[in-house]
Amino acid sequence: GKVVEEGKPVALVLTTKDKNGMKIYEPLTKVDVRACDKDFKDVKIDVKDNLNGTYDLTVTPGPGFTKIYAKTSDEPVTQCPVELRTENATDPGKSRATGKGVEH
């Protein structure tokens, strides 16, 4: 996921597209966006409909990571969920266990 600063608002843009990949705006399209933290608790996310097929999303990530899920017309959006990792988050792939009793 994208590394961001904890507690600093992050702006993203959701673009709705038709089956041919062209940007489309339909006033009745249902857009559902939610965000959750590492404990799967809801994180406030602001969604602004720009009335042109794009939606401005603003979320302030807490410690660890925040995942953003989006659906249009009850279908998951491609490339979702988006994961935002804070700079101080641990990376299990880079973490090591050492010391007495740890087998390699």
Side-chain angles (χ1 to χ4, degrees):
K2 180 178 178 182
V3 178
V4 296
E5 188 176 330
E6 181 182 333
K8 182 178 178 184
V10 175
L12 303 163
V13 177
L14 170 66
T15 303
T16 54
K17 297 185 178 183
D18 65 15
K19 65 181 180 180
N20 298 315
M22 302 299 294
K23 184 169 86 168
I24 187 172
Y25 176 68
E26 292 180 356
L28 300 179
T29 297
K30 180 183 171 192
V31 174
D32 179 32
V33 180
R34 62 180 280 265
C36 65
D37 66 13
K38 60 183 176 51
D39 298 319
F40 301 103
K41 293 181 181 169
D42 286 338
V43 173
K44 183 178 184 279
I45 186 164
D46 294 318
V47 180
K48 178 187 171 211
D49 184 350
N50 295 314
L51 305 176
N52 65 0
T54 66
Y55 298 79
D56 291 334
L57 313 177
T58 306
V59 63
T60 303
F65 66 83
T66 301
K67 285 191 178 182
I68 300 168
Y69 299 86
K71 291 182 179 182
T72 58
S73 301
D74 294 322
E75 292 293 325
V77 171
T78 304
Q79 300 176 342
C80 280
V82 171
E83 184 173 303
L84 304 174
R85 291 189 161 278
T86 57
E87 290 178 335
N88 298 329
T90 58
D91 182 343
K94 295 180 182 174
S95 299
R96 298 287 177 254
T98 60
K100 206 174 205 180
V102 176
E103 295 181 27
H104 297 285

